[in-house]
Amino acid sequence: MSKLNSYRTGPDGAGRFGIHGGRFAAETLMPLILDLERAYRTAQADPSFQQELDYYLEHYAGRPSPLYFAQRLTEHFGGAKIYFKRDELNHTGSHKINNCLGQILLAKRMGKTRIIAETGAGQHGVASATVAALFDLPCTVYMGEVDVERQQPNVFRMKLLGAEVIPVSSGSRTLKDALNEAMRDWVTNVHDTFYIIGTVAGPHPYPELVRDFQSVIGNEARAQLMAAEGRLPDTLVACIGGGSNAMGLFHPFLDDDGINIIGVEAAGDGIETGRHAASITGGRPGVLHGNRTYLLQDDDGQITEAHSISAGLDYPGIGPEHAWLHDMGRVSYVSATDAEALEAFQLCSKLEGIIPALEPAHALAHVAKIAPGLPKDHLIVMNMCGRGDKDIFTVAEMLGVEI
Amino acid sequence: MTFGRARIEARFAKLRAEGRSAFVTYVMSGDPDLQTSAKILAGLPGAGADIIELGMAFTDPMADGPSIQAAGLRALKAGITLRKTLELAAEFRRQDTETPIILMGYYNPIHSFGVDAFLKAAAEAGIDGLIMVDLPPEEDEELCLPTLAAGLGFIRLATPTTDDGRLPAVLANTSGFVYYVSYAGITGAGSADADTVGAAVARIRGQTDLPIVVGFGIRTPEQAREIAAVADGAVVGTAFTDAVRDSLDGAGKATDTTVAAVLDLTRELAAGVAAASRKAVGGAQP
């Protein structure tokens, strides 16, 4: 594979990252999707937009999030030096707020008066409901019935924030189906509704703008590690469902030679069982939810159900820029099973006093695999993209504990 | 022998000669099972269908309401695949060489099949055109242009949000006919308003000579009559997937009444379309 001068220039004018991305959307939505792109370009050129976003990121979300040296885990593994980018400390408990603040400011600029969102683990739903409350807009969140069941605390949080949560009973009743239903709402209410997509997927320009709003993670981590160590990291690790936290961490580092960048997909019961959510490891390119990317699908092009203990990773696709970075060989995509994530979840809680969300527990499970074999001066930055309060019921059940 | 775009054009020429609008039936391929679906297809022209839209089942039909979603899932459960849909069409084509068949659905099953292999197989099966919900003009190079090159029609959807500025792009590579979606929303969720639709059809008519067929929100003979009066054709879909659903037994299997339920409804709706007095006649004269 020939090396590019830059991995940071995508997408092209048609919203493509290589063969991935694009605008595979219904005609009813297309005029709005083009409007959104124009509105985003205008906002990008307007310093007051970034100033307003920065204000809310600092004073409302609590940024910058710390870059924390996980000393006890580092000692435990006995190899590489492990840093956590603490995005779980943001207001609402995950990185999702970064993107939601950006998108709601766009929604306001476009004069939209109603917000919709899809959610898997509920973190994006909570962040969407939060910004909708802050900016006084009604908000409807679509969530698969399975996820409503396993993420009860977040469902209640959304309701407290004034959002309407609509359980989705179609298909696998998880994130993919919530996205379908949100798209159906959008197509029906396109005149007044802004769809806050939670990950780096969907029709162009969503993958680009969500990436841009999440890149604050990598930009901060870069400066923070320079301050702490006087140099850039050797390895970056982040979990991937749709891939927004990973894209946010990775993007500012893509052109730095020698940084090993690793995305960790959810292997569920194990890739070999077929019950997993690893679209790059176990899928092939296809078109769904407005973009071309790696998808879990059968021989007939029907989308197959993803499986993961983590509701936030339980999605049969991945953001198109990740698909392209995989094709280009710039980022390595690996996977961690439910069992490995569960072990990492408990280890992190006990050693660091940080209860991670099940999503970044997958990233930590991979760190656990590589850190012991790396030298002590090797710097790993892992994105701790969410906190685990929401997952305690799932974990208790897995551990056979009644609470 | 006429096939593809030419078969669609021949059908509209015949309708024009008879002074009436097209009645277009949307049925889900393989619903509720392959055998029943084949019988439904075979009976549609005799019951009054002028053009058949054959739904391609997809697990994630983002623009469809609950009835068509359920029909697709029934078909998938009964074993439908894109290849079997083409076989159903080929079987139909052995009996009927005049009624156009348009495949309607989402891109991924075709993407998975491979565009070139699919277009070859579709033409051989007697498919005349495609309607792809998730392929707007921005993605014409994916499937639209190869389809036109293969001699098949690519029927574009125009919607209430397609304004005058965008309409030329939507019409540019459209062939066969234009499908006007009567409201912003998913299938089966709304009702087509004849006055609004009439104005929209007139607006589109100003920019194309192609026939303009209207779908979404038409389910009764009366609605079919009203819409057929202001457009070159009326599509009914959800009413058919509802009719199939209502005819099934407790286990979701076809019964003796399933085929008749669909064909009786076809006759009623066709009578509605036939009763329309045409206010506007579109399409280039032959």
Side-chain angles (χ1 to χ4, degrees):
Chain A
M1 201 82 63
S2 65
K3 189 180 165 302
L4 296 182
N5 289 325
S6 175
Y7 292 92
R8 304 184 65 220
T9 58
D12 67 15
R16 297 294 180 100
F17 301 92
I19 67 162
H20 303 285
R23 283 178 286 222
F24 296 88
E27 173 59 25
T28 307
L29 296 175
M30 279 309 299
L32 178 75
I33 286 168
L34 298 172
D35 274 353
L36 173 61
E37 186 176 358
R38 279 188 288 270
Y40 183 52
R41 298 292 169 235
T42 307
Q44 282 178 306
D46 177 356
S48 72
F49 178 80
Q50 190 62 46
Q51 280 163 14
E52 191 176 9
L53 179 56
D54 288 345
Y55 172 84
Y56 285 106
L57 287 173
E58 180 182 349
H59 297 283
Y60 189 69
R63 300 208 74 92
S65 68
L67 183 75
Y68 165 74
F69 169 46
Q71 187 173 357
R72 294 198 65 210
L73 273 170
T74 297
E75 286 166 5
H76 177 80
F77 293 129
K81 199 168 178 183
I82 299 161
Y83 281 88
F84 287 162
K85 179 60 176 160
R86 302 282 310 269
D87 255 52
E88 100 280 14
L89 291 177
N90 296 333
H91 178 45
T92 73
S94 80
H95 68 290
K96 294 293 188 185
I97 191 77
N98 306 331
N99 168 49
C100 288
L101 283 168
Q103 288 201 45
I104 200 141
L105 292 178
L106 276 179
K108 294 287 277 188
R109 283 181 159 237
M110 293 175 74
K112 298 295 179 185
T113 55
R114 176 174 176 264
I115 297 299
I116 59 170
E118 85 294 339
T119 197
Q123 293 301 96
H124 176 60
V126 166
S128 297
T130 296
V131 298
L134 178 65
F135 288 90
D136 195 24
L137 294 176
C139 177
T140 298
V141 179
Y142 291 91
M143 187 169 188
E145 274 184 349
V146 169
D147 295 336
V148 167
E149 187 55 40
R150 61 180 163 176
Q151 299 289 349
Q152 278 295 330
N154 273 344
V155 174
F156 188 59
R157 288 168 79 197
M158 286 184 266
K159 289 180 178 170
L160 282 174
L161 292 160
E164 177 190 21
V165 179
I166 300 186
V168 176
S169 59
S170 57
S172 56
R173 299 176 292 136
T174 59
L175 180 52
K176 150 181 103 79
D177 311 284
L179 249 149
N180 290 338
E181 214 52 40
M183 291 263 186
R184 291 179 185 125
D185 180 316
W186 198 23
V187 99
T188 306
N189 300 296
V190 63
H191 59 287
D192 67 355
T193 296
F194 190 99
Y195 181 12
I196 300 186
I197 293 184
T199 193
V200 284
H204 175 67
Y206 278 103
E208 177 188 348
L209 69 88
V210 176
R211 174 199 72 198
D212 292 350
F213 292 142
Q214 292 294 1
S215 289
V216 66
I217 300 171
N219 286 328
E220 285 176 5
R222 196 180 173 93
Q224 288 167 322
L225 196 69
M226 285 303 287
E229 298 278 353
R231 68 181 185 91
L232 294 176
D234 299 297
T235 298
L236 300 175
V237 182
C239 64
I240 305 219
S244 71
N245 91 81
M247 210 60 241
L249 176 66
F250 297 169
H251 196 257
F253 294 99
L254 288 174
D255 287 343
D256 293 293
D257 282 346
I259 298 184
N260 186 22
I261 306 182
I262 305 171
V264 186
E265 296 189 297
D269 291 344
I271 302 292
E272 70 288 350
T273 66
R275 290 179 49 82
H276 61 82
S279 18
I280 282 189
T281 311
R284 60 191 170 89
V287 171
L288 181 70
H289 294 151
N291 57 199
R292 179 174 13 237
T293 189
Y294 284 86
L295 296 175
L296 301 181
Q297 54 185 319
D298 68 14
D299 291 343
D300 190 43
Q302 304 295 338
I303 308 305
T304 53
E305 292 180 11
H307 294 277
S308 172
I309 189 177
S310 147
L313 306 183
D314 205 347
Y315 179 70
I318 184 168
E321 192 165 10
H322 285 294
W324 175 73
L325 289 167
H326 167 72
D327 288 353
M328 298 307 294
R330 176 63 188 98
V331 176
S332 306
Y333 293 88
V334 300
S335 62
T337 64
D338 286 355
E340 289 165 342
L342 201 57
E343 197 181 322
F345 178 96
Q346 296 172 82
L347 188 68
C348 188
S349 302
K350 282 179 181 148
L351 288 187
E352 293 290 352
I354 297 171
I355 300 177
L358 281 168
E359 290 79 16
H362 285 73
L364 185 58
H366 189 73
V367 169
K369 291 176 198 171
I370 60 172
L374 292 167
K376 289 187 190 304
D377 61 351
H378 187 104
L379 302 179
I380 295 179
V381 173
M382 190 205 100
N383 198 9
M384 182 58 77
C385 62
R387 58 176 172 246
D389 311 44
K390 69 186 176 61
D391 292 317
I392 56 172
F393 298 100
T394 304
V395 171
E397 192 185 325
M398 293 292 287
L399 298 176
V401 178
E402 264 191 52
I403 52 176
Chain B
M1 180 181 141
T2 43
F3 82 103
R5 204 154 57 224
R7 183 152 39 211
I8 302 171
E9 286 163 3
R11 174 50 44 113
F12 277 102
K14 178 168 176 278
L15 290 165
R16 261 194 310 276
E18 296 172 5
R20 61 189 186 89
S21 291
F23 175 42
V24 183
T25 56
Y26 171 99
V27 292
M28 178 62 74
S29 172
D31 176 33
D33 59 70
L34 285 164
Q35 205 181 3
T36 308
S37 184
K39 284 184 194 159
I40 288 171
L41 278 182
L44 282 174
D50 298 307
I51 295 172
I52 297 171
E53 281 180 20
L54 191 54
M56 302 158 53
F58 186 48
T59 40
D60 295 83
M62 287 171 296
D64 285 304
S67 180
I68 291 179
Q69 289 175 40
L73 293 178
R74 284 195 298 269
L76 288 169
K77 203 174 164 194
I80 196 66
T81 60
L82 181 49
R83 198 171 288 281
K84 284 179 184 166
T85 290
L86 296 178
E87 286 167 15
L88 272 176
E91 188 182 331
F92 172 88
R93 199 45 90 214
R94 282 192 281 276
Q95 309 298 324
D96 184 322
T97 57
E98 292 180 6
T99 307
I101 302 183
I102 316 291
L103 283 186
M104 181 165 183
Y106 299 81
Y107 181 36
N108 199 54
I110 292 173
H111 186 273
S112 173
F113 198 105
V115 166
D116 292 343
F118 165 77
L119 287 173
K120 185 167 179 290
E124 283 170 7
I127 299 294
D128 303 303
L130 305 176
I131 302 175
M132 288 292 126
V133 176
D134 51 358
L135 286 176
E138 282 74 8
E139 301 293 349
D140 268 0
E141 288 179 14
E142 287 286 330
L143 181 63
C144 174
L145 298 181
T147 299
L148 298 181
L152 304 188
F154 197 86
I155 292 102
R156 187 86 70 198
L157 301 162
T159 71
T161 61
T162 312
D163 59 22
D164 283 335
R166 183 169 167 78
L167 196 51
V170 168
L171 296 173
N173 291 318
T174 302
S175 68
F177 58 91
V178 178
Y179 186 130
Y180 182 69
V181 176
S182 75
Y183 56 83
I186 55 176
T187 53
S191 195
D193 176 72
D195 289 341
T196 315
V197 166
V201 169
R203 182 168 69 89
I204 299 169
R205 187 96 75 208
Q207 297 201 23
T208 182
D209 288 334
L210 289 169
I212 300 160
V213 169
V214 175
F216 283 46
I218 307 169
R219 57 179 303 129
T220 67
E222 180 57 22
Q223 286 172 320
R225 184 185 65 78
E226 285 178 13
I227 297 299
V230 298
D232 301 310
V235 188
V236 176
T238 296
F240 286 107
T241 50
D242 282 351
V244 170
R245 179 198 62 208
D246 294 344
S247 76
L248 302 177
D249 67 17
K253 302 287 184 206
T255 63
D256 291 347
T257 65
T258 301
V259 175
V262 173
L263 299 185
D264 288 349
L265 180 63
T266 306
R267 276 183 278 272
E268 289 167 28
L269 290 161
V273 172
S277 64
R278 293 291 303 274
K279 289 178 190 160
V281 177
Q285 298 305 312

